[in-house]
Amino acid sequence: MDEGGSRIRRRVSVRKRTRPSLGSIFAAPTAAELKPGDEKEEQEEKEMGAGRRRRKTVGVQPVESYDSEEDMFDDYDSFAENSFLAQLDDLEQKYMQLPERREHATDVATEDLCSDSIKHKLSVTTLDNFTELKTDVHTKNQSEYEDVSTESGADLLCDVPSSQVLYFENLQNSLNDLGDQSTKERDWNSSSHKTVNEELPRSSIEQPQQIDESSSTVKTSSDVNRKKSLKDHLKSTMTGNAKAQTPIFSRTKQLKETLLSEEINVAKKTIESLSDDLGPFYSLPSKVRDLYVQFKGIEKLYEWQHTCLTLNSVQERKNLIYSLPTSGGKTLVAEILMLQELLCRRKDVLMILPYVAIVQEKISGLSSFGVELGFFVEEYAGSKGRFPPIKRREKKSLYIATIEKGHSLVNSLIETGRIGSLGLVVVDELHMIGEGSRGAILEMTLAKILYTSKTTQIIGMSATLSNVEDLQEFLQAEYYTSQFRPVELKEYLKINDAIYEVDSKAENGMTFSRVLGYKYSDTLKKMDPDHLVALVTEVIPNYSCLVFCPTKKNCENVAEMICKILSKDCLKHREKEKQEVIQNLKNLSGGSLCPVLKRTIPFGVAYHHSGLTSEERKLLEEAYSTGVLCLFTCTSTLAAGVNLPARRVILRAPYVAKEFLKRNQYKQMIGRAGRAGIDSTGESILILQEKDKQKVLELISRPLENCYSHLVQEFTKGIQTLFLSLIGLKIATNLDDIYHFMSGTFFGVQQKILLKEKTLWDITVDSLRYLTEKGLLQKDTILTEKGLLQKDTICKSEEEFQYSFQITNLGRASFKGTIDLAYCDVLYRDLKKGLEGLVLESLLHLIYLTTPYDMASQCDPDWMIYFRQI
């Protein structure tokens, strides 16, 4: 179709959407108002309209037919009841099918024919008083004349050439003038007929009545060539649209989703009412219980888990700390509480875990729940995580983060005013709050949540807590504990060839158990002086074993040493599956494989430490869980929560790196022994030398170490970073508010124990002064009596003025970039200096940019090497 035809189609489509009925424009006169002869004329008009409705379109691009579809509209078609619409469609098709008529029409004839057709149509439709009615309709509703324009203009389409289509669009303007020219219409009509008769063939137009005869002839031709009527056209289109837009759902799935929605609504009401009725599954839909059976094989909770979940403090959403031995099932309680928050209270949840590997394991375990129950599981570890997180209207998010990423996430929520959307924060391994700079960051995170959001619940859990009272006061939490352990744990010590069982009732804390019977040659004794192979071969390959080593390098060396001594029979155990593991590892790394793993995996042995990529670690953990690998040599990271239990756990030495083992670290490691549902008992063996015997005996007998705040001890990474972020996030900007915040921290709770010489107020003032001197903060003063802000004013009287602080650009960049404040000003100065003379033509500048300040003093590069390369 040409451009003009396309324009006509668009105009007609607009009329279809906005067209009023014919009756609303020209109301039919009553029987009393009709004159003799008028009834006959009205009947002729009705018959003519009915005939036009029966016509079908010709030459229209065929629409996809849905012959097999049921007729959704029966015999009634409200779209085709209006004769205007049928006439428009018919005349458009006559225009497209009779191009020879368009070739003979001239511009003058076209205009005259338009006028004549308009008058003829109006004269047939109206009575003697039509002139007055037209004037009233024009005054009341201008848009109704547009419909008349469409009808009349459509009658002309059979004779209007495509080059004159614009004339059709301008008919509305001429019709608008009809109301003012009603007295001259008949004269204009007769003159139009004369013009048409002079310029058009007599066979085409001789008198007004012959237009009807011509229309009848065209109608007969249209009936022969028709493809689709307007009615069928609309029905097919609407049926196709309905078919395309209606998604096909499984009836069973719809019923399940409806049931889940209803159960969630019931759970919401149950939680709000605080009733004793816990609903299908602890105020959660029964589908959650089914998913735990399906994904984790958990059919029933332990008694302590039921008790903990039904505590009044839990139902009232009070903060909670609970402590149980490792492998006791602490995480399941936290997961149920998180699901309650996500599904029933419709709030976001943050779960803080100590290591990246544990975050990835938890992501893998809970993603399937998110898919089935309709919430997002987002990873905040390593390079992953978005700040601030995406704000969602419907589905809620479960953020699983490391300690550092969790702190950044909380900062971003506070900065954007969205901290109230966080309904629950769960902290695993809560005892880590007392471990160096990471503990200080965890303390800052929890303190900010407590200070800025009174509606956010905090749940802390750990297997190794001692001074719980301080933590309770800090978190304003209830406490629950139990000594339940699903599998009995037996602890052993190995000194030379003898093995002793740990016994708290014995005089020296241990009793003799047995002597190793493994026969070693002199060569093997030199290779394995600690008899590791003898301890390992008692368990593998039928059962699993973990060997904890002090360092990553030691993990790899021990794995190779064990494989050199192991019997060749171990190679036959699940040999094909081991080869698949090797091939999968090669695929992950582009065909290459660590030579250590290449030698150890055929024996069912592998190392596990942070040097592995996340994909490699996941693949090896799956192989270990399914029994393809039976022995891991690993670092203490695996003890912190990665769910890889073993029949026997061996501690290669009572050291982590160069530091002697702590009681809580020891409990974490040996807690991996014993698999619930698989083993009846678990065993741990600590290998020690005679020189460490006394320390080890103290280790196994003394209580757990207390947790102490490191907020002040980690000066630049602790309290100073905290103050900088408090002012940058506008949590507290003056001295009084900052001091009040500090009083509510874990350090504030323990200040009497930790502070000997200075008070908390002194430390607060000193820290703020230090940040101001380094250019990270700028100090303002507020006149307390008049409330006037004065910048850079020296305070004459401490009673008259109160200090407030603002963060500088350098300060904001430092705390948002998590830069150590001890080096932030030096780093900025060095970068500015480097811009002046840094040469980027070689790679030498990378050394300048990547050398840490705390390592610079230990580096002594040979600069001649770089000189020769340049």
Side-chain angles (χ1 to χ4, degrees):
M1 187 183 294
D2 59 11
E3 182 180 356
S6 300
R7 190 182 300 109
I8 294 172
R9 274 178 160 269
R10 289 196 297 270
R11 187 169 182 84
V12 170
S13 67
V14 173
R15 295 296 177 260
K16 289 179 181 180
R17 289 194 296 269
T18 61
R19 179 173 305 285
S21 66
L22 180 62
S24 66
I25 302 177
F26 307 117
T30 61
E33 295 172 336
L34 293 176
K35 298 179 181 180
D38 289 341
E39 295 182 359
K40 181 179 179 181
E41 184 178 359
E42 182 184 30
Q43 182 65 28
E44 291 175 355
E45 173 65 14
K46 290 182 179 178
E47 291 176 358
M48 179 175 65
R52 286 171 178 164
R53 284 196 301 272
R54 287 191 296 270
R55 296 181 222 161
K56 296 190 177 181
T57 59
V58 179
V60 180
Q61 182 69 24
V63 180
E64 182 180 356
S65 177
Y66 294 89
D67 295 335
S68 63
E69 296 292 335
E70 183 182 356
D71 187 353
M72 298 188 297
F73 307 102
D74 297 329
D75 293 331
Y76 177 74
D77 189 352
S78 61
F79 298 97
E81 286 299 314
N82 194 329
S83 61
F84 281 170
L85 196 58
Q87 293 170 38
L88 285 174
D89 196 81
D90 292 340
L91 292 174
E92 179 184 357
Q93 303 312 316
K94 284 186 284 183
Y95 160 72
M96 291 185 291
Q97 293 296 321
L98 301 175
E100 64 278 2
R101 294 201 175 205
R102 296 196 299 272
E103 294 176 358
H104 296 295
T106 63
D107 294 346
V108 177
T110 298
E111 295 176 3
D112 292 340
L113 181 58
C114 175
S115 302
D116 174 71
S117 181
I118 291 172
K119 296 308 166 188
H120 175 69
K121 181 64 62 179
L122 294 177
S123 64
V124 172
T125 308
T126 61
L127 302 175
D128 292 340
N129 59 351
F130 179 61
T131 300
E132 179 181 355
L133 180 60
K134 279 194 305 176
T135 304
D136 293 338
V137 173
H138 173 73
T139 304
K140 292 179 180 179
N141 194 339
Q142 184 68 26
S143 64
E144 295 176 351
Y145 278 110
E146 295 175 9
D147 297 326
V148 178
S149 171
T150 305
E151 178 195 9
S152 303
D155 284 337
L156 300 174
L157 295 180
C158 59
D159 294 308
V160 176
S162 60
S163 61
Q164 299 297 321
V165 173
L166 288 175
Y167 181 80
F168 172 78
E169 298 181 354
N170 294 328
L171 284 179
Q172 179 179 351
N173 296 331
S174 62
L175 286 173
N176 290 340
D177 299 330
L178 286 177
D180 299 333
Q181 300 175 0
S182 59
T183 58
K184 301 179 180 179
E185 282 182 332
R186 286 180 172 80
D187 295 337
W188 182 56
N189 188 24
S190 61
S191 65
S192 298
H193 276 296
K194 291 179 180 179
T195 305
V196 172
N197 289 331
E198 291 174 0
E199 297 186 358
L200 294 179
R202 302 187 102 192
S203 60
S204 300
I205 300 177
E206 293 182 356
Q207 54 184 344
Q209 287 76 7
Q210 289 184 0
I211 297 179
D212 293 337
E213 297 174 1
S214 176
S215 299
S216 177
T217 304
V218 175
K219 179 182 70 174
T220 303
S221 175
S222 176
D223 289 337
V224 174
N225 298 318
R226 69 179 181 270
K227 291 183 179 180
K228 291 290 181 183
S229 68
L230 175 65
K231 177 179 177 180
D232 293 341
H233 178 99
L234 291 174
K235 286 181 180 180
S236 298
T237 302
M238 295 181 68
T239 304
N241 290 342
K243 182 178 180 181
Q245 294 176 3
T246 304
I248 300 175
F249 289 110
S250 167
R251 182 63 178 169
T252 304
K253 184 176 180 180
Q254 285 182 325
L255 291 174
K256 288 182 178 180
E257 291 179 351
T258 303
L259 178 61
L260 176 62
S261 177
E262 291 177 354
E263 289 187 346
I264 289 177
N265 291 332
V266 172
K268 288 180 182 178
K269 296 178 180 178
T270 302
I271 288 179
E272 292 172 357
S273 63
L274 298 177
S275 64
D276 295 333
D277 183 11
L278 295 180
F281 185 70
Y282 298 97
S283 300
L284 288 169
S286 56
K287 184 176 182 179
V288 176
R289 177 183 56 206
D290 298 338
L291 291 176
Y292 270 107
V293 175
Q294 177 183 348
F295 294 142
K296 299 190 175 184
I298 299 174
E299 299 181 357
K300 186 178 179 181
L301 270 63
Y302 296 131
E303 184 178 350
W304 81 265
Q305 292 171 330
H306 173 79
T307 303
C308 185
L309 288 169
T310 54
L311 291 173
N312 291 333
S313 57
V314 173
Q315 297 184 22
E316 295 171 3
R317 294 193 76 248
K318 293 182 179 179
N319 296 343
L320 175 69
I321 300 172
Y322 61 97
S323 176
L324 283 97
T326 304
S327 301
K330 299 184 296 297
T331 305
L332 179 59
V333 172
E335 289 179 2
I336 292 175
L337 294 176
M338 291 190 296
L339 292 176
Q340 287 179 359
E341 200 71 27
L342 289 163
L343 302 179
C344 303
R345 298 187 182 94
R346 307 297 296 167
K347 292 276 191 176
D348 295 330
V349 175
L350 169 62
M351 187 177 196
I352 299 177
L353 302 170
Y355 301 112
V356 175
I358 306 175
V359 170
Q360 293 171 344
E361 181 192 20
K362 191 58 63 180
I363 288 284
S364 176
L366 292 178
S367 293
S368 53
F369 284 85
V371 172
E372 294 291 336
L373 299 174
F375 61 88
F376 291 97
V377 181
E378 302 185 36
E379 179 179 352
Y380 280 78
S383 60
K384 297 183 179 180
R386 175 170 178 166
F387 303 102
I390 299 174
K391 186 176 182 180
R392 297 183 171 92
R393 294 182 179 180
E394 297 297 331
K395 292 185 178 181
K396 299 303 174 183
S397 295
L398 169 58
Y399 310 114
I400 303 181
T402 57
I403 294 174
E404 293 78 10
K405 287 285 187 175
H407 183 225
S408 299
L409 178 62
V410 170
N411 283 343
S412 67
L413 291 174
I414 294 174
E415 187 174 19
T416 54
R418 292 167 50 192
I419 189 64
S421 65
L422 203 60
L424 175 64
V425 176
V426 175
V427 181
D428 196 7
E429 311 298 345
L430 183 60
H431 63 273
M432 292 191 70
I433 199 172
E435 296 185 7
S437 60
R438 303 194 78 211
I441 295 173
L442 180 58
E443 180 181 347
M444 287 188 281
T445 304
L446 297 176
K448 289 176 182 176
I449 295 171
L450 289 168
Y451 192 85
T452 58
S453 178
K454 303 302 180 184
T455 60
T456 303
Q457 184 184 16
I458 297 177
I459 303 291
M461 54 183 174
S462 176
T464 56
L465 287 178
S466 53
N467 55 333
V468 183
E469 296 79 8
D470 292 344
L471 288 169
Q472 280 185 264
E473 185 179 351
F474 166 48
L475 296 177
Q476 305 161 28
E478 302 290 328
Y479 179 61
Y480 176 83
T481 186
S482 173
Q483 296 302 317
F484 172 82
R485 200 178 192 280
V487 178
E488 181 186 3
L489 174 62
K490 295 182 179 180
E491 301 177 41
Y492 295 95
L493 303 176
K494 177 188 171 297
I495 306 174
N496 297 325
D497 292 340
I499 296 179
Y500 300 87
E501 183 176 357
V502 175
D503 186 1
S504 59
K505 299 179 182 179
E507 183 177 354
N508 58 356
M510 61 181 185
T511 56
F512 177 79
S513 175
R514 62 189 175 93
V515 177
L516 282 175
Y518 194 88
K519 296 181 179 180
Y520 274 86
S521 64
D522 294 338
T523 304
L524 292 181
K525 284 182 180 180
K526 292 180 180 179
M527 294 177 61
D528 182 20
D530 296 325
H531 305 93
L532 266 176
V533 175
L535 296 174
V536 165
T537 51
E538 292 178 349
V539 179
I540 65 170
N542 296 323
Y543 298 97
S544 57
C545 181
L546 294 176
V547 178
F548 284 100
C549 303
T551 64
K552 291 187 290 185
K553 186 61 178 176
N554 192 237
C555 290
E556 300 177 17
N557 293 338
V558 169
E560 281 198 289
M561 181 271 295
I562 291 174
C563 291
K564 289 178 181 179
I565 302 176
L566 281 177
S567 171
K568 301 300 181 183
D569 295 337
C570 294
L571 295 172
K572 300 178 181 178
H573 180 75
R574 306 182 72 165
E575 182 177 3
K576 185 178 296 185
E577 293 165 282
K578 293 174 185 175
Q579 292 301 320
E580 291 180 0
V581 173
I582 292 175
Q583 186 59 45
N584 291 335
L585 287 172
K586 287 183 178 180
N587 295 337
L588 288 175
S589 55
S592 62
L593 179 63
C594 171
V596 176
L597 292 176
K598 186 176 182 180
R599 290 190 292 267
T600 61
I601 289 178
F603 288 90
V605 180
Y607 63 82
H608 185 287
H609 57 60
S610 59
L612 297 170
T613 65
S614 58
E615 292 80 9
E616 291 172 340
R617 189 185 305 114
K618 182 178 180 181
L619 186 60
L620 292 175
E621 288 172 357
E622 289 177 353
Y624 178 85
S625 299
T626 55
V628 177
L629 300 179
C630 53
L631 173 64
F632 266 168
T633 59
C634 51
T635 57
S636 59
T637 303
L638 190 142
V642 177
N643 189 25
L644 295 175
R647 176 69 173 268
R648 176 176 291 181
V649 171
I650 301 172
L651 279 67
R652 175 76 171 75
Y655 292 91
V656 174
K658 297 181 179 181
E659 295 183 3
F660 195 80
L661 204 62
K662 296 180 180 178
R663 173 70 175 171
N664 57 8
Q665 293 173 326
Y666 171 73
K667 296 293 286 185
Q668 288 280 350
M669 291 180 184
I670 67 173
R672 298 294 106 193
R675 295 175 294 178
I678 300 177
D679 300 325
S680 57
T681 59
E683 300 174 346
S684 71
I685 301 175
L686 172 58
I687 300 174
L688 64 143
Q689 308 299 323
E690 284 289 348
K691 63 183 180 68
D692 296 323
K693 181 178 178 179
Q694 191 59 39
K695 287 184 178 181
V696 170
L697 292 177
E698 293 176 0
L699 170 69
I700 62 176
S701 59
R702 66 169 176 250
L704 294 169
E705 294 86 0
N706 291 334
C707 291
Y708 294 110
S709 172
H710 283 69
L711 199 58
V712 173
Q713 186 176 347
E714 298 290 334
F715 198 58
T716 56
K717 295 181 180 179
I719 191 170
Q720 291 183 359
T721 301
L722 173 61
F723 287 175
L724 202 60
S725 63
L726 289 180
I727 296 169
L729 297 172
K730 298 181 180 179
I731 299 173
T733 57
N734 60 65
L735 187 57
D736 289 340
D737 290 344
I738 295 173
Y739 176 76
H740 177 66
F741 181 95
M742 282 298 299
S743 300
T745 61
F746 191 39
F747 178 79
V749 172
Q750 296 181 327
Q751 58 179 304
K752 294 181 180 179
I753 302 173
L754 300 176
L755 296 179
K756 302 299 182 181
E757 299 177 357
K758 291 185 177 181
T759 64
L760 181 59
W761 178 269
D762 294 335
I763 291 178
T764 303
V765 172
D766 291 344
S767 298
L768 291 171
R769 182 183 296 113
Y770 175 83
L771 294 172
T772 305
E773 291 173 353
K774 292 201 74 164
L776 304 175
L777 295 177
Q778 64 182 18
K779 183 166 60 175
D780 297 335
T781 55
I782 301 175
L783 188 59
T784 56
E785 294 181 357
K786 298 181 180 180
L788 299 176
L789 178 66
Q790 299 179 353
K791 291 187 177 182
D792 302 326
T793 302
I794 300 176
C795 181
K796 296 181 180 180
S797 173
E798 293 292 341
E799 297 178 356
E800 295 179 358
F801 290 92
Q802 181 183 2
Y803 288 107
S804 68
F805 297 89
Q806 292 183 355
I807 192 169
T808 64
N809 291 334
L810 177 60
R812 188 178 301 279
S814 298
F815 99 81
K816 284 199 170 184
T818 63
I819 304 296
D820 190 340
L821 301 186
Y823 307 113
C824 64
D825 54 340
V826 180
L827 174 62
Y828 180 64
R829 185 173 63 250
D830 287 350
L831 288 174
K832 287 182 66 177
K833 183 180 179 181
L835 289 176
E836 298 175 0
L838 202 61
V839 178
L840 304 180
E841 293 181 354
S842 68
L843 300 179
L844 182 60
H845 66 282
L846 296 178
I847 304 297
Y848 176 83
L849 293 174
T850 59
T851 304
Y853 284 104
D854 54 354
M855 297 292 294
S857 60
Q858 305 175 21
C859 297
D860 187 17
D862 184 0
W863 297 108
M864 292 303 296
I865 294 177
Y866 300 103
F867 179 76
R868 287 192 292 270
Q869 287 185 349
I870 293 174

